[in-house]
Structure formats: structure tokens, C-alpha cells
């Protein structure tokens, strides 16, 4: 079964363990070394923030940025890897403190626009047509501080500008309800798809669904995926897990709630996710307690769990499921699923 899915992750998923309350606990692994780990871990797709590919890009000219991104593309080729997507990192610069596209300050919005153009140049140099938009600070801590109607208009304007800048790119919006903001303007997949309908070419706007983000919105990730699949909008996924409504934990896929993970693999497999070239993307972090030499297990374990759950989805007795649905015996259906997950 393995081999039907292509897997991806971003270099930030191998990290040093810093959190808001404490510094790094592991040494950094140099970018080139991380790329060498991809194939060994069973991955062929690399997800990028723009400055993962071109660090310090705000201090470089447009030409310098493209040159550096092309160098990264050559390294990818030599490692047998491809870039899945590039995402503008619009939440660290001082000019994005109050949001990027939705900032109240026109000079800050202009910075975001220019930075996004460079992101698209990088995507082009890395030979990917997919751009992910995690709209990190497009929200508020204080409802009265920004106008939510104007904010949506401004995000639409920014997306239209991207669509016009490169007529070939597709944009996957990664919805998240909170963190770093109290509330964001695009909290769920439904919001992302509806936002796309306001844009100049809705066919080029879809979603990147992260399991943890859906859970933080109080939703079931597999239902979010079903919604996107029904709209033909599931451009990518960020599989991981999450223990309740707290900070974004980015746990190993399936490590918290195996059944919830099973339902995600089941719907993805059932509706041929990946056949159109989509990657099974992971956005997982090693626990802070993990020692450096074993700090990539969360990635290979997530992949293994995904593939085992695909097998379980395929070996589930479908006739029995249909029969129990017909009888409306959902208690027995519940037991069937539990038994199946327990190997009984
Ligand atoms: C944030 C998050 C990001 C995006 C890419 O919660 O998931 O890493 O996936 O910008
Ligand atoms: Mn993510």
C-alpha cells in the first residue's frame, strides 16, 4: 500500500524545542543536513516558508532572492526532492505586528504585498505552483481594534494581487481559529472556501487543512476534509494531533486520538486524495523533552501511523458497516470500529 501516497513536511518540523516559556534545548540542524534526512525518513516533498528557502530575504534584492531560491532548487533536485509549496512568513517582522494584509497601517500592508511578491518569485524558482497562506496575525486581540468587514475585503484584495502577479499559482488557505491572535478572520475551512468565492478566480483558491487547527475550532478534522473534498478544494493537508482546546501542540499524527486520525486517513483514501498530485503533509513537532539524536521520530512515526491507518481503513468490513447503518445500530457500529482499531 505504501508508495501510493507522497509525504511532505517543512524544515521547521525538525526544531530546537524552544517554547514561549523557555529557550532551545537541542542544537540546530543545518538546512542542508535536514534536506538529506527527508528521503531517509520516507519523505519526498519539502514545504517551505519563503525564508526557509531564502533566509534574511528582507535584506536582499529581488534578483538575489531568485538566485538563492534557484540554488535551493538545485539542492532539492540532487536530493531527489520536490517543493510542495511556499508560504509567506508574515508574522515575525515588526511591520506585521498588527496583521499583514489587514494591518491598519497602509505602509505595513504595502510591505506585506511586496514580501508576498517575493514569496511568489521563490515559489517559481523552486518550481511549485502551490502557495499556502496561514493568515497568522490577520485577526485581533481586541474586537474594536480592527473592522472585520474591511479585514476580509483587504485579504481578498491581497489574494487578487497574488493571482494577478502569477497567473499559474494556486493558493491553499490554512485556516486556524486562534494563536497567535485571540480570534482570526479565517478560522475554519468553510471560511477559507467562502473567502475564495470572493476572489477574482475562485478555481485557484482552496484549503490546506491542519488537524490541530480544526480541533482548536471545536471541529472534527475529517469532517473539515469532507467539506473541502465536496468542494474540490482540498489542495493540501497538515496532519498532526492535538489534546483538547489549548495551544497548537502539533503532536504526532494519531498519537492523541487514534480514531480521529483513522477517520482522516479513511476519508482521504476513500476520495482518492493524492491522485491529483497532492501530498500528505505533516505539521508535527517533537516533544521538547526529546534528545537531539532521536528528534525526528515524530516524522517517521506519523508517516507509519498514517500508512497503518490506511490499511485499517481498507480492511474495514464495509458490508458490515452498511448493514449496521441500515439497521441504525450505531452502538454496534461503534464497537465494530473500536474492535477493528484494536485488531480484534
Ligand atoms: C501555524 C502553522 C504554520 C503553517 C505554515 O500554526 O501551522 O506552520 O502550517 O505557515
Ligand atoms: Mn500548519
Amino acid at each position: 500500500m505504501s508508495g501510493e501516497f507522497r509525504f511532505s513536511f517543512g524544515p521547521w518540523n525538525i526544531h530546537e524545542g524552544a517554547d514561549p516559556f523557555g529557550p532551545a534545548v537541542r542544537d540546530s540542524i543545518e538546512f542542508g543536513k535536514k534536506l538529506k534526512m527527508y528521503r531517509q525518513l520516507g519523505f519526498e516533498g519539502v514545504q517551505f516558508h519563503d525564508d526557509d528557502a531564502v533566509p534574511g530575504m528582507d535584506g536582499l534584492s529581488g534578483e538575489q532572492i531568485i538566485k538563492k531560491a534557484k540554488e535551493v532548487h538545485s539542492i532539492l533536485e540532487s536530493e531527489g526532492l520536490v517543493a510542495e509549496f511556499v508560504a509567506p512568513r508574515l508574522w515575525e517582522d515588526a511591520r506585521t505586528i498588527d496583521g499583514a494584509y489587514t494591518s491598519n497601517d497602509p505602509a505595513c500592508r504595502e510591505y506585506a504585498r511586496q514580501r508576498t511578491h517575493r514569496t511568489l518569485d521563490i515559489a517559481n524558482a523552486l518550481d511549485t505552483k502551490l502557495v499556502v497562506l496561514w493568515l497568522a496575525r490577520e485577526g485581533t486581540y481586541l474586537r474594536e481594534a480592527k473592522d472585520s468587514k474591511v479585514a476580509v475585503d483587504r485579504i481578498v484584495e491581497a489574494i487578487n494581487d497574488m493571482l494577478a502577479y502569477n497567473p499559474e499559482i494556486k493558493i491553499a488557505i490554512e485556516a486556524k481559529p486562534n494563536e497567535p491572535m485571540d480570534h482570526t478572520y479565517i478560522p475554519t475551512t468553510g471560511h477559507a472556501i467562502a473567502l475564495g468565492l470572493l476572489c477574482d478566480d475562485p478555481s485557484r483558491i482552496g484549503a490546506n487543512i491542519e488537524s490541530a487547527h480544526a480541533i482548536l475550532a471545536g471541529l472534527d478534522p475529517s469532517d473539515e476534509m469532507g467539506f473541502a473534498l465536496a468542494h474540490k478544494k482540498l489542495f493540501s493537508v497538515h496532519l498532526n494531533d492535538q489534546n483538547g482546546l489549548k495551544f497548537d501542540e502539533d503532536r504526532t499524527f494519531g498519537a492523541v486520538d487514534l480514531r480521529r486520525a483513522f477517520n482522516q486517513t479513511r476519508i482521504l483514501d476513500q476520495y482518492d486524495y493524492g491522485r491529483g498530485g497532492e501530498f500528505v503533509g505533516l505539521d508535527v513537532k517533537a516533544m521538547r523533552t526529546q534528545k537531539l539524536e532521536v528528534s525526528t521520530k515524530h516524522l517517521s512515526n506519523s508517516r507509519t501511523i498514517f500508512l497503518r491507518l490506511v490499511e485499517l481503513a481498507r480492511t474495514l468490513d464495509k458490508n458490515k458497516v452498511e448493514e449496521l447503518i441500515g439497521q441504525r445500530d450505531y452502538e454496534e457500529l461503534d464497537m465494530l470500529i473500536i474492535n477493528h482499531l484494536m485488531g480484534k
Side-chain angles (χ1 to χ4, degrees):
M1 304 265 183
S2 136
E4 282 185 42
F5 291 101
R6 295 191 301 164
F7 294 85
S8 64
F9 69 87
W12 66 91
N13 293 119
I14 302 176
H15 79 128
E16 297 80 13
D19 70 17
F21 304 99
V25 290
R26 291 184 285 267
D27 291 341
S28 296
I29 297 176
E30 187 231 313
F31 178 63
K33 284 206 177 124
K34 286 186 184 176
L35 290 183
K36 290 209 175 299
M37 292 172 162
Y38 271 75
R39 281 285 180 179
Q40 291 160 13
L41 291 166
F43 291 77
E44 63 182 279
V46 185
Q47 309 171 354
F48 287 94
H49 291 114
D50 47 12
D51 59 2
D52 292 323
V54 185
M57 58 185 281
D58 281 340
L60 301 176
S61 70
E63 291 78 54
Q64 286 171 321
I65 290 172
I66 292 170
K67 186 169 173 280
K68 295 247 177 218
K70 283 188 175 156
E71 285 165 17
V72 173
H73 184 243
S74 303
I75 304 174
L76 292 183
E77 282 188 325
S78 65
E79 298 293 341
L81 301 172
V82 291
E84 184 199 358
F85 66 69
V86 182
R89 199 193 298 273
L90 288 168
W91 53 92
E92 288 187 352
D93 192 90
R95 286 163 287 190
T96 59
I97 194 164
D98 193 23
Y101 309 131
T102 67
S103 172
N104 286 325
D105 182 339
C108 294
R109 294 201 299 276
E110 182 54 23
Y111 161 75
R113 201 171 83 93
Q114 293 302 332
R115 166 84 178 219
T116 304
H117 287 179
R118 301 293 78 78
T119 309
L120 299 194
D121 292 344
I122 292 171
N124 195 40
L126 294 179
D127 198 23
T128 176
K129 308 261 180 275
L130 188 62
V131 170
V132 160
L133 274 191
W134 171 47
L135 298 164
R137 296 194 191 275
E138 314 298 10
T140 58
Y141 305 111
L142 185 72
R143 302 257 65 69
E144 298 83 1
K146 281 158 109 177
D147 179 322
S148 55
K149 194 268 179 199
V150 170
V152 171
D153 292 344
R154 284 181 176 158
I155 298 172
V156 168
E157 198 183 312
I159 290 177
N160 286 342
D161 182 63
M162 294 170 73
L163 295 174
Y165 186 81
N166 181 341
E168 289 188 17
I169 52 137
K170 289 171 89 177
I171 299 171
I173 298 170
E174 184 175 332
K176 183 175 179 182
N178 62 291
E179 200 205 31
M181 310 309 291
D182 179 30
H183 288 285
T184 67
Y185 293 125
I186 309 297
T188 70
T189 304
H191 288 82
I193 292 174
L195 182 80
L197 297 177
L198 295 174
C199 297
D200 286 343
D201 186 356
S203 73
R204 291 163 64 201
I205 320 289
N208 176 24
I209 297 184
E210 174 159 328
S211 322
H213 296 179
I215 297 161
L216 286 170
L219 300 170
D220 180 82
S222 71
D223 283 352
E224 286 281 90
M225 288 170 188
F227 187 84
L229 286 164
H231 286 265
K232 299 193 172 33
K233 291 296 188 190
L234 194 54
F235 291 180
S236 189
V237 290
H238 262 178
L239 300 184
N240 56 20
D241 214 345
Q242 171 73 24
N243 191 12
L245 303 180
K246 44 184 96 159
F247 63 95
D248 186 358
E249 297 184 313
D250 293 337
R251 291 288 313 278
T252 291
F253 180 61
V256 177
D257 187 333
L258 200 58
R259 186 174 184 173
R260 190 168 56 194
F262 168 72
N263 283 314
Q264 292 170 69
T265 56
R266 187 163 176 249
I267 199 156
L268 292 174
D269 193 44
Q270 201 172 353
Y271 294 103
D272 293 331
Y273 179 82
R275 288 273 161 86
E278 304 89 354
F279 277 88
V280 175
L282 295 167
D283 198 359
V284 288
K285 284 205 178 71
M287 287 178 249
R288 192 165 192 265
T289 42
Q290 200 69 357
K291 291 182 183 162
L292 180 66
E293 54 285 10
V294 285
S295 63
T296 55
K297 285 190 174 175
H298 58 304
L299 291 158
S300 47
N301 289 350
S302 292
R303 179 181 176 277
T304 301
I305 292 167
F306 178 90
L307 289 170
R308 288 196 185 147
L309 289 174
V310 169
E311 259 174 64
L312 285 179
R314 289 178 184 174
T315 53
L316 181 66
D317 185 343
K318 291 184 182 60
N319 293 333
K320 190 76 191 159
V321 170
E322 285 310 314
E323 188 188 312
L324 294 173
I325 290 173
Q327 292 164 1
R328 217 179 64 213
D329 190 353
Y330 297 159
E331 290 291 353
E332 199 55 40
L333 178 58
D334 206 18
M335 198 61 197
L336 180 81
I337 304 293
I338 298 280
N339 277 335
H340 194 59
L341 289 175
M342 293 198 301
K344 296 275 176 208

